[in-house]
Amino acid sequence: MYKKTGKELNSLFLQKQISAEEIVAYFIKRIHAFEPSIQSLLSTLESRALEKARALDLKLSQNKPIGKLGAIPIILKDNMHMKGEKTTCASQFLKNYEAPFDATVTTLIEEADGIIIGKANMDEFAMGSSTENSSFKKSYNPWNLDYTPGGSSGGSAAAVAAMLAPISLGSDTGGSIRQPAAFCNLYGFKPTYGRVSRFGLVAFGSSLDQIGPFARSIEDIALMQEVIGGHCPYDSTSIPNSKEPYLNELETSIQGKVLGVPFSLLENIDEEIKNLFLDALEVYKSLGVKIVEINLDLIKYSIPTYYILATAEASTNLARFDGIRYGIRSPEAKTLEEIYEYSRGLGFGPEVKQRILLGTYVLSAGYQDAYYKKAQKVRSLIIRDYKHAFEHSDMIALPATPTTSFKLGSIQDPLKMYMQDIYTISANLAGVPALTLPIGFSASHLPVGMQLQGPLLKDARVLRFANHFAKATNFHQKLAPLFDKEAS
Ligand code: GLN
């Protein structure tokens, strides 16, 4: 059963070949067996999930209508709220924090009869690329336990790659869905900014954050987007009337379409990744797609631009963690100043502190023009470059990451870690939809992914391009060998 996609499990359930309770119990058993070796979850919602499953079985037996995600086990990154459950953001600051309301994605999943079975580990407040910044624990890559599953949504990716659930949600501010997807042989989708509601997602960089799914099939990505990709009145940046029939459009032909490739950006990349990327372009050619060269040279500046804007936004967003309203309060503090100072000193980890300092600096009087405003200008130029590129192409192809997964503990230099996002960040700066898809394996058996980026609001087109590639190849069907077995 673990090999089945979410959609296949849903069909078995609807045909009454298996009950929702059996499905949930099965995946909980897998969690018990395999979670100790990958450490992908921060909480397991066993009794809540089983209760939901039993209620769903009753609903089916009474012939009531069942939602699109009926009986599919789903895992959420631990920065999305579920009322009455913990939302820790993998931070000591929120280690005991219980969400007072449901995130919109939680509501939509539960209304569609999906069953949330756990909450995933992540880099603290989604800052990082390896999940090593979690203040609770490291997660391990199911393809090789010495390696990172990527980050910041590393737990969400590791859980799906170890088949603890067919689908999970992550959040992507600069690549946090697409980089772990590449490291774990998964599809990982960052929708158009504003497509999925951010209500109930703990904010990192509000102008960049987007929620999106991980899965082992493109149908599951499309299915999830049909459920979570709609307008939400509680998020002022949510796009109105933006539902799309993702599943229906998957088969529409891409013959004669134009794929733009910024070849000049392939210079500083692992040779293995470059070759697999070029092979993937050949697959597209064989599908009747035309490859053209485009210019996205400004992507070179996306890292400094992002690390100014994202830290500025983070320093503002994280100001609410003051020791008074949320999370922990230092017991040593005697004055108001000390409450702020000691609580923040105690609650935040080193990377988060570094980013708050950076963000405060780039926003400070005297430096705002030199850094923050200049970065905003570069962001506008990057947006313009994308516009131009899409005048000549229907879709853009890029590598997902400059390297394959790296060994846990092997990157200590923050700047080196920040370079992980060189190919992913520009899609957040421009707001465009972007997907990682599996395109093969390195000589050391680590997964390699590539990225498709589409024009604003053309999310369905991105999934369609990926679907045709999936039909012509079978990389996405390869499962992590260590977990390709039943729980005993
Ligand atoms: N790795 C990037 C960072 O550390 C992106 C994180 C994300 O997308 N949440 O900020």
Side-chain angles (χ1 to χ4, degrees):
M1 185 149 64
Y2 63 87
K3 294 187 197 212
K4 301 251 181 276
T5 65
K7 210 154 182 299
E8 288 165 349
L9 290 174
N10 170 258
S11 307
L12 290 176
F13 165 69
L14 292 177
Q15 292 158 16
K16 302 199 176 153
Q17 292 190 25
I18 187 159
S19 70
E21 188 175 355
E22 282 168 310
I23 295 176
V24 169
Y26 174 88
F27 281 96
I28 287 174
K29 190 172 168 205
R30 282 189 73 81
I31 291 175
H32 285 290
F34 299 126
E35 172 61 11
S37 49
I38 55 164
Q39 301 286 320
S40 63
L41 302 179
L42 292 177
S43 48
T44 309
L45 309 171
E46 245 176 89
S47 49
R48 176 179 172 136
L50 284 167
E51 220 171 274
K52 292 253 176 210
R54 283 190 281 267
L56 188 58
D57 286 328
L58 185 67
K59 207 164 146 184
L60 186 69
S61 72
Q62 295 168 338
N63 291 321
K64 292 193 180 144
I66 303 290
K68 279 185 184 169
L69 298 176
I72 304 179
I74 291 160
I75 287 167
L76 299 188
K77 186 173 180 177
D78 205 20
N79 57 354
M80 298 169 203
H81 288 336
M82 290 177 74
K83 189 174 176 181
E85 306 293 344
K86 277 189 192 170
T87 307
T88 69
C89 294
S91 178
Q92 293 301 316
F93 215 113
L94 295 177
K95 65 178 176 204
N96 297 316
Y97 177 75
E98 267 181 26
F101 60 90
D102 278 331
T104 297
V105 287
T106 304
T107 308
L108 291 173
I109 288 171
E110 293 196 330
E111 279 174 7
D113 294 322
I115 298 176
I116 300 169
I117 60 169
K119 299 199 73 192
N121 195 23
M122 55 187 279
D123 284 301
E124 185 177 4
F125 287 106
M127 297 174 187
S129 301
S130 67
T131 313
E132 290 164 296
N133 293 337
S134 165
S135 79
F136 298 117
K137 60 187 185 183
K138 285 197 249 292
S139 294
Y140 300 85
N141 189 321
W143 288 85
N144 184 329
L145 299 174
D146 293 332
Y147 287 73
T148 170
S152 66
S153 313
S156 302
V160 174
M163 294 152 282
L164 306 186
I167 308 177
S168 65
L169 288 188
S171 64
D172 189 313
T173 307
S176 280
I177 294 174
R178 289 161 288 151
Q179 182 253 24
F183 285 6
C184 294
N185 205 44
L186 300 174
Y187 294 99
F189 185 48
K190 182 204 86 73
T192 295
Y193 179 77
R195 174 75 82 177
V196 178
S197 170
R198 293 180 294 113
F199 181 70
L201 167 74
V202 178
F204 165 12
S206 306
S207 77
L208 304 155
D209 297 340
Q210 236 334 250
I211 292 175
F214 288 96
R216 294 190 319 275
S217 86
I218 201 72
E219 286 88 2
D220 278 3
I221 298 280
L223 178 67
M224 197 62 177
Q225 280 310 111
E226 289 198 354
V227 172
I228 64 173
H231 179 250
C232 167
Y234 304 122
D235 172 356
S236 62
T237 58
S238 169
I239 299 165
N241 306 321
S242 74
K243 284 227 171 214
E244 280 192 86
Y246 300 92
L247 281 164
N248 275 346
E249 284 192 21
L250 285 181
E251 303 298 329
T252 313
S253 168
I254 55 170
Q255 216 168 18
K257 299 282 178 216
V258 179
L259 188 59
V261 184
F263 285 103
S264 64
L265 298 174
L266 299 180
E267 273 156 22
N268 302 319
I269 179 177
D270 272 11
E271 202 60 23
E272 270 185 317
I273 295 193
K274 185 169 162 182
N275 290 335
L276 288 170
F277 177 75
L278 295 175
D279 290 350
L281 296 185
E282 289 303 316
V283 173
Y284 273 109
K285 269 194 207 159
S286 73
L287 294 169
V289 170
K290 208 172 127 200
I291 310 284
V292 299
E293 175 152 17
I294 54 163
N295 181 343
L296 277 178
D297 280 355
L298 283 181
I299 284 185
K300 281 189 258 185
Y301 303 113
S302 61
I303 300 240
T305 307
Y306 168 87
Y307 277 94
I308 290 170
L309 298 177
T311 55
E313 293 184 21
S315 73
T316 313
N317 277 325
L318 270 56
R320 75 192 61 181
F321 301 106
D322 55 7
I324 294 173
R325 288 173 295 177
Y326 307 92
I328 60 155
R329 178 180 303 175
S330 161
E332 262 110 68
K334 292 194 192 68
T335 64
L336 183 63
E337 285 278 298
E338 284 178 3
I339 291 182
Y340 298 154
E341 219 179 291
Y342 296 179
S343 307
R344 286 167 75 81
L346 204 65
F348 291 136
E351 181 66 25
V352 176
K353 283 180 187 155
Q354 177 164 290
R355 303 238 185 158
I356 292 173
L357 287 173
L358 265 171
T360 310
Y361 180 77
V362 300
L363 286 175
S364 60
Y367 291 103
Q368 204 181 73
D369 286 348
Y371 294 109
Y372 184 74
K373 289 197 180 149
K374 193 158 192 180
Q376 289 287 29
K377 287 180 188 158
V378 179
R379 183 178 192 174
S380 301
L381 293 176
I382 291 175
I383 293 172
R384 199 185 63 186
D385 264 13
Y386 268 97
K387 257 200 197 133
H388 285 161
F390 285 124
E391 282 163 14
H392 310 290
S393 44
D394 301 295
M395 189 65 49
I396 291 173
L398 275 171
T401 52
T403 65
T404 51
S405 173
F406 44 92
K407 277 204 170 138
L408 286 158
S410 67
I411 300 189
Q412 297 296 337
D413 173 4
L415 284 180
K416 234 179 137 190
M417 192 67 98
Y418 297 170
M419 287 308 288
Q420 270 300 314
D421 305 314
I422 180 76
Y423 295 116
T424 46
I425 276 175
S426 52
N428 302 78
L429 291 171
V432 300
L435 175 88
T436 288
L437 53 149
I439 58 163
F441 296 86
S442 69
S444 46
H445 311 290
L446 289 167
V448 175
M450 82 167 211
Q451 234 188 134
L452 294 173
Q453 301 187 340
L456 284 172
L457 288 171
K458 298 296 180 199
D459 302 45
R461 188 192 292 174
V462 177
L463 304 190
R464 186 192 333 152
F465 263 74
N467 188 46
H468 286 279
F469 185 86
K471 294 212 146 152
T473 58
N474 61 1
F475 307 115
H476 64 288
Q477 285 162 349
K478 289 234 164 71
L479 302 176
L482 286 171
F483 302 94
D484 188 2
K485 60 183 179 200
E486 295 292 346
S488 51

